[in-house]
């Protein structure tokens, strides 16, 4: 049964804001829950992330093909339901094995959503409008993340797994709501009579692979995503351990990690929101540029410097300031990069190619996470964090390689190599 379909942009903003709220609710204190309640060590923490990324690696392209071939809306609904089930499992069963199983479950769910959501809104409203929608959506997500962070802190003071339980139930309810109201007017799936399922999936995948190979922007984005994955898995899992090695001050009458990690997450999100608003207000022409390679290179350099400084600085608050600066840069870059990538894709293979970019990130995290986790155990968490920062060094250079041509100002990266260039 379907209720009257909602307006696409409003629907996109709403489900992404709810998604951001529930993710913040789940993950603000999840690492603290893993360390304090479940008792995971640094290597186990990284293996939790590696398990998640293996699931993403194995299912990213197949689920992206499903979104291109059958229904983006259905893919998103299935994805949110699986994510919710994974959140619930890891909260209700505080054991290493159950947490690993939960990563597989919600990781598969995430691959159903990844790529399908951006491809869906691009099809519904058109490529010309989607860049501004991505930027505005990013700002709404940050606002929702702030609310989710506060809610996580309040619930976490009662019980560390409680925010995860509420987030899981909320994800399942979100899936049910989208099943009733989410429109899909401009996507035309392959007719049932023409569905040679595995053969058609193979053709769609090959089409996406050809796009990734023939268009330099797409090819560079895949490489950047791979390098980012090599770095991010260890940092995302180990920064919490690094902070827990310090003593929190008794400024507000408590040193409870649930309270302080909520404060840290809240400050980071507020700074990211402010940074996004300021950059979009001060320099909208750069944010919405057709070829923002220079801006993305600068943001990548700031991100790199922040990660390295966080690892090296001995003072807790200076280190956190560096980490927050890094996250502000990443927050600003994500919608700009997404819009640039989508402008270089065709509708028929859009979800598949976006999934390939995400899969490259998953490959990087699977390859980079365990060695850096082992390095943290053998040397120190600080050493592993420093190496994860240094891995990012090629990314600014890769962005700068996609330079506009002097003749006409059009980046070579946006013209498929197999197509003639206009004079």
């Amino acid at each position: 049964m379907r209720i009257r379909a909602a307006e696409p942009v409003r629907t996109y903003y709403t489900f992404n804001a709810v998604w951001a709220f529930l993710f913040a609710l789940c993950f603000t204190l999840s690492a603290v829950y893993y360390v304090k309640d479940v008792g995971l060590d640094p290597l186990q923490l990284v293996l939790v992330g590696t398990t998640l990324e293996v699931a993403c690696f194995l299912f990213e392209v197949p689920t992206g093909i499903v979104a291109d071939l059958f229904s983006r809306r259905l893919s998103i609904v299935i994805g949110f339901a699986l994510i919710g089930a994974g959140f619930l499992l890891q909260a209700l069963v505080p054991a290493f094995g159950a947490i690993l199983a939960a990563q597989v479950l919600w990781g598969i769910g995430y691959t159903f959503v990844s790529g399908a959501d951006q491809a869906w809104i691009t099809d519904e409203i058109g490529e010309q409008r989607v860049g501004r929608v991505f930027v505005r959506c990013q700002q709404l997500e940050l606002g929702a993340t702030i609310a989710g962070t506060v809610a996580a802190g309040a619930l976490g003071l009662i019980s560390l797994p409680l925010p995860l339980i509420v987030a899981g139930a909320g994800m399942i309810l979100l899936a049910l709501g989208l099943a009733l109201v989410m429109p899909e007017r401009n996507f035309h799936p392959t007719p049932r009579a023409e569905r040679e399922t595995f053969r058609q999936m193979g053709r769609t995948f090959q089409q996406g692979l050809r796009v990734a190979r023939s268009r330099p922007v797409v090819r560079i984005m895949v490489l950047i995503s791979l390098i980012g994955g090599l770095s991010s898995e260890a940092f995302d899992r180990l920064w919490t351990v690094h902070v827990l090695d310090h003593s929190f001050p008794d400024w507000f009458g408590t040193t409870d990690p649930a309270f302080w990690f909520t404060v840290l997450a809240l400050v980071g999100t507020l700074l990211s929101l402010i940074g996004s608003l300021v950059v979009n207000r001060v320099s909208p022409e750069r944010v919405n540029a057709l070829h923002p390679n220079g801006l993305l290179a600068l943001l990548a350099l700031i991100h790199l410097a922040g990660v390295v400084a966080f690892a090296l600085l001995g003072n807790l608050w200076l280190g956190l300031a560096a980490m927050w600066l890094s996250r502000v840069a990443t927050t600003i870059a994500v919608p700009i990069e997404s819009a640039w990538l989508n402008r270089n894709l065709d509708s028929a293979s859009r979800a598949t190619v976006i999934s390939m970019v995400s899969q490259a990130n998953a490959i990087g995290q699977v390859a980079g996470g365990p060695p850096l986790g082992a390095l943290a155990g053998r040397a120190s968490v600080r050493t592993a964090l420093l190496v994860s920062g240094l891995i990012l060094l090629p990314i600014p250079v890769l962005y700068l390689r996609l330079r506009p041509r002097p003749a006409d100002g059009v980046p070579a990266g946006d013209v498929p190599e197999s197509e003639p260039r206009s004079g």
Side-chain angles (χ1 to χ4, degrees):
M1 177 180 177
R2 291 282 306 278
I3 299 175
R4 182 179 178 181
E7 194 274 328
V9 174
R10 188 176 296 113
T11 302
Y12 185 72
Y13 286 158
T14 299
F15 80 70
N16 274 284
V18 174
W19 188 6
F21 174 86
L22 296 174
F23 257 62
L25 188 63
C26 180
F27 290 108
T28 296
L29 299 176
S30 63
V32 180
Y33 165 68
Y34 294 156
V35 173
K36 295 292 186 181
D37 282 18
V38 188
L40 303 188
D41 60 34
L43 180 57
Q44 287 177 319
L45 285 171
V46 173
L47 289 177
V48 167
T50 301
T51 301
L52 171 63
E53 296 307 326
V54 168
C56 291
F57 168 71
L58 294 176
F59 288 91
E60 187 70 63
V61 168
T63 53
I65 294 173
V66 168
D68 281 332
L69 191 59
F70 298 104
S71 168
R72 317 241 203 257
R73 185 181 73 88
L74 177 62
S75 186
I76 293 168
V77 169
I78 292 172
F80 282 138
L82 290 175
I83 290 170
F87 286 0
L88 286 173
L89 176 59
Q90 67 180 354
L92 296 175
V93 186
F96 182 51
I99 290 175
L100 292 181
Q103 305 312 300
V104 174
L105 189 59
W106 89 257
I108 294 173
Y110 179 80
T111 63
F112 273 99
V113 179
S114 174
D117 60 334
Q118 292 183 4
W120 170 79
I121 190 62
T122 302
D123 285 344
E124 293 298 308
I125 68 173
E127 297 176 2
Q128 300 305 313
R129 292 178 58 195
V130 78
R132 295 183 184 277
V133 169
F134 284 159
V135 171
R136 177 59 175 163
C137 187
Q138 177 72 273
Q139 294 166 355
L140 291 173
E141 288 173 357
L142 289 170
T145 298
I146 292 171
T149 301
V150 173
L155 294 174
L157 290 173
I158 301 171
S159 168
L160 283 175
L162 184 57
L164 283 68
I165 295 171
V166 175
M171 280 290 185
I172 293 173
L173 290 175
L174 176 60
L176 293 174
L178 289 176
L180 294 175
V181 303
M182 187 176 184
E184 191 170 41
R185 301 185 181 96
N186 295 325
F187 171 70
H188 304 287
T190 304
R192 186 176 300 275
E194 299 176 14
R195 290 179 187 170
E196 303 171 87
T197 309
F198 292 106
R199 184 181 300 176
Q200 186 66 45
M201 283 186 174
R203 290 171 181 167
T204 307
F205 175 76
Q206 290 172 4
Q207 182 180 359
L209 194 60
R210 281 196 298 272
V211 172
R213 287 176 172 173
S214 65
R215 301 185 181 182
V217 164
V218 180
R219 189 169 62 245
I220 293 295
M221 290 293 188
V222 171
L223 182 55
I224 287 172
S225 185
L226 174 66
I227 296 170
L230 287 169
S231 166
S232 66
E233 178 59 30
F235 186 87
D236 291 346
R237 301 294 168 175
L238 296 180
W239 78 266
T240 303
V241 179
H242 186 53
V243 171
L244 284 171
D245 286 339
H246 297 78
S247 297
F248 290 111
D250 191 11
W251 289 351
F252 301 96
T254 181
T255 59
D256 190 328
F259 171 81
W260 276 106
F261 272 87
T262 300
V263 171
L264 299 183
L266 189 58
V267 171
T269 305
L270 283 170
L271 290 174
S272 295
L273 177 58
I274 293 169
S276 177
L277 292 172
V278 169
V279 169
N280 280 278
R281 178 64 62 88
V282 172
S283 188
E285 69 283 353
R286 290 185 179 274
V287 171
N288 296 299
L290 290 177
H291 318 294
N293 59 314
L295 176 59
L296 287 172
L298 175 61
L299 293 170
L301 187 61
I302 294 171
H303 171 53
L304 185 161
V307 172
V308 171
F310 175 74
L312 292 178
L313 291 171
N315 181 276
L316 172 62
W317 298 105
L318 289 178
L320 288 171
M323 184 182 71
W324 287 328
L325 179 64
S326 171
R327 290 189 174 178
V328 169
T330 302
T331 298
I332 295 170
V334 166
I336 300 172
E337 185 180 88
S338 295
W340 195 16
L341 177 61
N342 272 274
R343 283 194 293 268
N344 285 270
L345 302 177
D346 301 319
S347 177
S349 60
R350 179 171 283 119
T352 300
V353 176
I354 294 172
S355 291
M356 286 180 177
V357 175
S358 296
Q359 190 183 43
N361 187 270
I363 293 171
Q365 294 197 42
V366 170
L372 289 175
L375 178 63
R378 289 178 176 271
S380 68
V381 171
R382 184 188 299 272
T383 301
L385 291 172
L386 175 60
V387 173
S388 71
L390 296 177
I391 289 172
L392 297 170
L393 281 169
I395 292 182
V397 178
L398 288 171
Y399 278 127
L400 291 175
R401 286 188 61 189
L402 293 169
R403 295 188 301 270
R405 290 184 299 162
D408 55 13
V410 178
D414 286 313
V415 182
E417 293 174 346
S418 59
E419 295 179 8
R421 299 175 187 270
S422 60

